[in-house]
């Protein structure tokens, strides 16, 4: 499985225990199956180089949990974001859709508990579906091999961010249409 990760350094030996404790799929090293998504996720900071790291994951003998955009996926994300104990620690790798509110700003309301899980899931199903792959165990980390990296150009990153802004605006409009009165009640 070919995977991508964007960062400000070449990450040849990822640390699965670094950061992201309350992220969508809990603790682990987050990657993408889609190069184009990783490029759109890229940012630049003055004085730093932005790298697209490329990896190969040997899936042999790994226990892998795969999610679809369904209730099980939503509850796993909700529980992880709210700091509950990860209930999938027996898996080496977790694969599934990235919750679009991670990519696009939707005001933190979808997994906040202010909106019903059913309505939140309906909104999270909107728009593009990108897949994330999370390396959760040392065994999986040992099966992840860094292949190479590429330096992303600042001008290309700006172009990618413009694409994301357009996608975000479209997604936000869809969210408001779905939530309608519920959304307005939150801000009254």
């Amino acid at each position: 499985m070919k995977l991508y990760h964007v960062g400000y350094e070449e990450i040849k030996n990822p640390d699965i225990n670094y950061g992201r404790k309350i992220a969508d799929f809990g603790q682990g090293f987050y990657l993408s199956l889609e190069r184009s998504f990783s490029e759109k996720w890229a940012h630049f900071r003055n004085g730093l180089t932005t790298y697209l790291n490329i990896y190969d994951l040997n899936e042999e003998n790994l226990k892998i949990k795969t999610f679809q955009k369904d209730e099980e996926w939503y509850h796993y994300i909700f529980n992880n974001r709210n700091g509950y104990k990860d209930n999938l620690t027996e898996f080496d790798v977790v694969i599934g859709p990235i919750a679009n509110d991670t990519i696009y700003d939707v005001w933190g309301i979808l997994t906040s508990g202010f909106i019903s899980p059913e309505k939140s899931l309906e909104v999270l199903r909107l728009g593009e579906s990108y897949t994330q792959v999370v390396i959760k165990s040392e065994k999986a980390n040992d099966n992840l091999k860094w292949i190479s990296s590429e330096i992303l150009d600042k001008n290309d990153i700006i172009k990618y961010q413009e694409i994301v802004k357009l996608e975000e605006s479209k997604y936000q409009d869809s969210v408001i249409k779905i939530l309608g009165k519920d959304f307005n009640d939150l801000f009254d």
Side-chain angles (χ1 to χ4, degrees):
M1 181 184 306
K2 195 168 190 179
L3 299 167
Y4 304 91
H5 178 88
V6 171
Y8 297 117
E9 60 186 87
E10 291 182 322
I11 304 174
K12 295 179 181 180
N13 299 301
D15 180 355
I16 63 169
N17 298 304
Y18 176 78
R20 302 188 79 130
K21 288 178 179 42
I22 59 169
D24 289 354
F25 289 177
Q27 188 72 46
F29 183 62
Y30 283 67
L31 302 118
S32 176
L33 287 169
E34 297 113 4
R35 178 189 177 111
S36 62
F37 173 76
S38 293
E39 291 170 335
K40 285 196 279 187
W41 191 248
H43 290 83
F44 67 89
R45 288 188 185 156
N46 288 332
L48 295 177
T49 302
T50 304
Y51 293 94
L52 175 70
N53 289 283
I54 304 167
Y55 301 88
D56 182 57
L57 177 65
N58 179 352
E59 302 164 73
E60 190 175 328
N61 298 318
L62 295 180
K63 190 168 181 183
I64 299 174
K65 171 66 176 172
T66 302
F67 281 109
Q68 303 301 318
K69 283 187 176 181
D70 58 16
E71 288 183 26
E72 181 187 23
W73 168 79
Y74 172 79
H75 289 293
Y76 186 62
I77 289 170
F78 181 86
N79 288 339
N80 285 327
R81 287 184 182 181
N82 286 287
Y84 297 117
K85 186 175 178 1
D86 188 341
N87 65 349
L88 295 179
T89 56
E90 74 274 15
F91 288 94
D92 300 303
V93 178
V94 177
I95 301 173
I98 298 170
N100 283 342
D101 68 329
T102 300
I103 306 167
Y104 310 120
D105 182 13
V106 290
W107 317 285
I109 59 175
L110 296 182
T111 56
S112 65
F114 291 115
I115 297 171
S116 73
E118 296 78 21
K119 188 66 86 169
S120 292
L121 180 56
E122 181 181 353
V123 171
L124 288 172
R125 286 180 170 150
L126 295 171
E128 296 268 346
S129 187
Y130 299 106
T131 302
Q132 61 190 348
V133 177
V134 183
I135 305 302
K136 306 276 287 173
S137 72
E138 290 298 336
K139 181 179 177 181
N141 206 27
D142 290 343
N143 282 16
L144 182 70
K145 302 299 176 209
W146 181 84
I147 297 171
S148 64
S149 68
E150 298 173 15
I151 295 174
L152 297 180
D153 179 79
K154 178 180 176 178
N155 292 325
D156 289 336
I157 293 171
I158 291 169
K159 288 177 194 172
Y160 301 140
Q161 289 175 342
E162 288 171 0
I163 292 168
V164 171
K165 283 182 188 176
L166 290 172
E167 289 177 357
E168 178 177 59
S169 178
K170 183 177 176 182
Y171 185 76
Q172 288 171 340
D173 288 345
S174 298
V175 168
I176 291 169
K177 285 178 186 170
I178 293 276
L179 295 180
K181 184 179 179 320
D182 294 334
F183 181 79
N184 290 328
D185 289 347
L186 285 174
F187 296 98
D188 285 342

